């Protein structure tokens, strides 16, 4: 069942974080729905601009609707990840999205405010909520590369001002995470001090953590043992998801880790079965392994086991 992102946030705020997972194809959708159901957790499906172009945006919509029929117990929202203004309007007008993200974080503050405000006005007129971003994460996202030196943490005072000026419904904050598989050279902690200051200025306001993949070292080792060349890198400490959720992080974005699962499964499969050319056997393994991964993330986010209570809290018409 597709619900609004606001409904998910209301249930989760301060208690657990909702996992937001990107999908590009049917195998990811099957693994995501199966894993979330196994964990009895709600979730957010994220669609990036790149995903909409990969096959066709109508294909993704059809896959999600079909998955919702196949897994009728699932409760989830559909969200545009890292949208520009034009893509936000397309998704708002589509009638399919629960929420959109306008990412104008690379623009100066005033411009970010103006663009975000325009999107908020258009989205709210249709009952859709808007995630905006302030501050700049490091790493690679879509076609933008931000060098570590240019990444900057969200300023708590600016965050308060930004939310007041734009009327956005949630805010992606830079608190020390980074997009992609090459995040940190050593172990690194989230900036809980900054998070606490933002929460103090924006109480009860859902915050979003992008770049939250953990880059599991065993996955990287298996990929490299099967012919990959993924250079050493560490990700976010999974034991920090729940403490962050208790401090207002209500949505945690995870994409890269799923790609690592895919890469490990396929590299190992074809290395061990060099005569094979059928993509379905490794596809089946991937769906199972991705479901296991999703369930483990829902546990770590504190979202596992919340589905029945969430369902009971929803209005009968939802
Ligand atoms: O932050 C970006 C997400 O990981 C989506 O990646 O734009 O390559 O689909 P993508
Ligand atoms: P990762 O690259 O850490 O998975 O982050 C994904 C993300 O932030 C999607 O918006
Ligand atoms: Zn992101």
């Amino acid at each position: 069942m597709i619900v609004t992102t606001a409904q998910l946030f209301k249930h989760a705020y301060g208690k657990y974080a909702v996992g937001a997972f990107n999908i590009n194809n049917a195998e990811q959708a099957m693994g995501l729905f199966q894993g979330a159901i196994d964990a009895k957790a709600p979730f957010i499906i994220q669609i990036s601009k790149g995903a909409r172009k990969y096959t066709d945006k109508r294909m993704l919509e059809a896959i999600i609707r079909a998955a919702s029929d196949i897994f009728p117990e699932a409760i989830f929202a559909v969200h545009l990840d890292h949208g520009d203004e034009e893509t936000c309007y397309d998704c708002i007008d589509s009638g399919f999205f629960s929420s959109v993200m306008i990412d104008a974080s690379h623009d100066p503050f005033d411009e970010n405010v103006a663009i975000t405000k325009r999107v908020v006005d258009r989205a709210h007129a249709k009952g859709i909520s808007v995630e905006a971003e302030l501050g700049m994460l490091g790493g690679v996202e879509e076609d933008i590369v931000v060098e570590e030196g240019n990444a900057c943490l969200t300023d708590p005072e600016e965050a308060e001002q930004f939310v007041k000026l734009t009327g956005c419904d949630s805010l992606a904050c830079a608190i020390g995470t980074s997009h992609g598989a090459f995040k940190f050279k050593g172990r690194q902690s989230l900036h809980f001090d900054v998070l606490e200051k933002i929460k103090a200025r924006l109480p009860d306001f859902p915050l979003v953590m992008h770049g939250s993949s953990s880059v599991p070292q065993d996955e990287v080792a298996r990929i490299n043992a099967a012919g990959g060349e993924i250079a050493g890198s560490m990700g976010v400490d999974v034991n920090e998801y729940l403490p962050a959720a208790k401090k207002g992080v209500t949505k945690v974005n995870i994409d890269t880790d799923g790609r690592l699962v895919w890469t490990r499964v396929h590299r190992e499969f074809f290395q061990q079965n060099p005569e094979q050319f059928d993509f379905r056997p490794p596809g089946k393994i991937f769906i199972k392994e991705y479901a296991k991964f999703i369930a483990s993330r829902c546990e770590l986010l504190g979202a596992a086991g919340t589905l029945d209570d969430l369902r009971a809290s929803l209005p009968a018409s939802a």
Side-chain angles (χ1 to χ4, degrees), residues 222 226 265-276:
R222 285 174 72 174
V265 165
H266 288 83
R267 278 201 180 278
E268 284 185 348
F269 180 84
F270 286 110
Q271 194 187 50
Q272 289 158 15
N273 302 278
E275 75 294 350
Q276 273 278 6

Side-chain angles (χ1 to χ4, degrees), residues 9 13 117 223 236 250:
F9 284 174
Y13 186 85
K117 175 90 177 69
I223 289 168
V236 174
T250 318

Side-chain angles (χ1 to χ4, degrees), residues 82 179 210 253:
H82 291 287
H179 284 107
H210 282 245
N253 287 13

Side-chain angles (χ1 to χ4, degrees), residues 182-221:
F182 306 101
K183 296 189 195 299
F184 326 118
K185 292 204 171 66
R187 185 143 306 288
Q188 193 165 310
S189 180
L190 298 177
H191 290 265
F192 283 107
D193 52 334
V194 177
L195 180 57
E196 275 162 17
K197 285 184 188 143
I198 298 171
K199 187 184 184 325
R201 287 178 175 273
L202 292 168
D204 303 322
F205 190 80
L207 305 174
V208 178
M209 196 164 81
H210 282 245
S212 306
S213 279
S214 62
V215 191
Q217 296 302 292
D218 56 327
E219 289 290 3
V220 174

Side-chain angles (χ1 to χ4, degrees), residues 22 24 48 50-51 81-82 140-142 179 210 255-256 259:
N22 295 63
N24 295 266
S48 70
D81 189 28
H82 291 287
V140 183
E141 90 197 32
E142 204 94 15
H179 284 107
H210 282 245
D255 183 17
T256 295
R259 297 182 188 204

Side-chain angles (χ1 to χ4, degrees), residues 11-12 15-17 39-42 75 298 302-313:
H11 191 257
K15 298 194 288 275
Y16 64 91
K40 295 193 185 312
I75 300 180
C298 293
T306 64
L307 204 56
D308 291 340
D309 190 64
L310 169 65
R311 197 185 315 281
S313 77

